[in-house]
Amino acid sequence: MGTVVAMPAPAKRDRSDKPKTGHIAFTEQRLEKLRRPAAGAAYIYDTEEPGLCVRLTAGAASYV
């Protein structure tokens, strides 16, 4: 029979740099309650309007 070759396990990816995402129905009250991340960015998508998103950073909220 053939030779058995042991393959190393793939390295786990560090996902700390990946932006956080979520989906909610946008209302003024819900948008005001969103918590901004200490570092990086978070993207929250509207469930009612396709393509509408708010990007949250430590210093600002921007609609994209």
Side-chain angles (χ1 to χ4, degrees), residues 18-42:
K18 183 179 177 186
K20 306 292 186 255
T21 61
H23 295 82
I24 63 169
F26 283 7
T27 65
E28 284 186 49
Q29 294 81 15
R30 288 181 182 153
L31 292 171
E32 288 175 1
K33 290 181 181 180
L34 291 175
R35 298 170 80 191
R36 294 188 178 136

Side-chain angles (χ1 to χ4, degrees), residues 1 6 13 20 24 29 41 47 51 55:
M1 290 229 140
R13 291 181 48 187
K20 306 292 186 255
I24 63 169
Q29 294 81 15
T47 58
R55 181 183 69 205

Side-chain angles (χ1 to χ4, degrees), residues 38-60:
Y43 294 86
I44 309 297
Y45 293 89
D46 187 14
T47 58
E48 303 297 317
E49 184 65 37
L52 180 59
C53 175
V54 63
R55 181 183 69 205
L56 302 170
T57 60

